[in-house]
Amino acid sequence: QVHLVESGGGLVQPGGSLTLFCSATGRDLTTFSMGWYRQTPGGRREMVATWTRGDMAIYSDSVKGRFTIFRDRAKKTVTLQMNNVKFEDTGIYYCHVEQIRSGEVHWGQGTQVTVSS
């Protein structure tokens, strides 16, 4: 019922910038958190940046000061602005939505980000 559409992945050089966008649709999507996770090659999926239901943006320590997440609650979208990217930022980035009241979690299909010189 809830669908996530992602865009913006691609190849970027170290120190460059990239912007990811996610749009969520769903009639029952009201109180929720929304953000981005990533899965690095051979690694686990980890939180990158999330906008909580309390209107607070949280970040992984590894991206603080480099990434910024923006949210439009009414339009149910998030934008992840990635600046000064590093090799370790390479991975598949997944949009993530959690419905607070029901506990339901929804994932996007993933968009590849590759940082390479």
Side-chain angles (χ1 to χ4, degrees), residues 12-18 66-67 82-86 89 115:
V12 61
Q13 295 184 4
S17 298
L18 202 65
R66 300 188 298 117
F67 293 6
M82 307 167 59
N83 296 326
N84 191 26
V85 297
K86 304 176 180 179
D89 295 322
V115 182

Side-chain angles (χ1 to χ4, degrees), residues 17-32:
S17 298
L18 202 65
T19 301
L20 305 182
F21 177 81
C22 179
S23 177
T25 59
R27 187 183 73 257
D28 297 330
L29 193 59
T30 54
T31 303
F32 60 97

Side-chain angles (χ1 to χ4, degrees), residues 12 38-41 82 85-93 112-116:
V12 61
R38 71 185 177 192
Q39 186 167 0
T40 56
M82 307 167 59
V85 297
K86 304 176 180 179
F87 290 113
E88 63 184 5
D89 295 322
T90 293
I92 304 175
Y93 284 68
Q112 177 71 42
V113 173
T114 302
V115 182
S116 177

Side-chain angles (χ1 to χ4, degrees), residues 7-79:
S7 63
L11 177 65
V12 61
Q13 295 184 4
S17 298
L18 202 65
T19 301
L20 305 182
F21 177 81
C22 179
S23 177
T25 59
R27 187 183 73 257
D28 297 330
L29 193 59
T30 54
T31 303
F32 60 97
S33 63
M34 190 172 183
W36 289 92
Y37 284 63
R38 71 185 177 192
Q39 186 167 0
T40 56
R44 298 180 179 181
R45 189 174 300 184
E46 61 184 11
M47 192 275 293
V48 177
T50 299
W51 199 278
T52 70
R53 54 77 52 92
D55 294 329
M56 179 178 180
I58 58 175
Y59 299 90
S60 167
D61 289 339
S62 65
V63 306
K64 287 182 178 178
R66 300 188 298 117
F67 293 6
T68 305
I69 187 168
F70 303 92
R71 174 174 181 169
D72 188 323
R73 182 178 294 275
K75 299 187 67 174
K76 302 180 178 66
T77 63
V78 290
T79 300

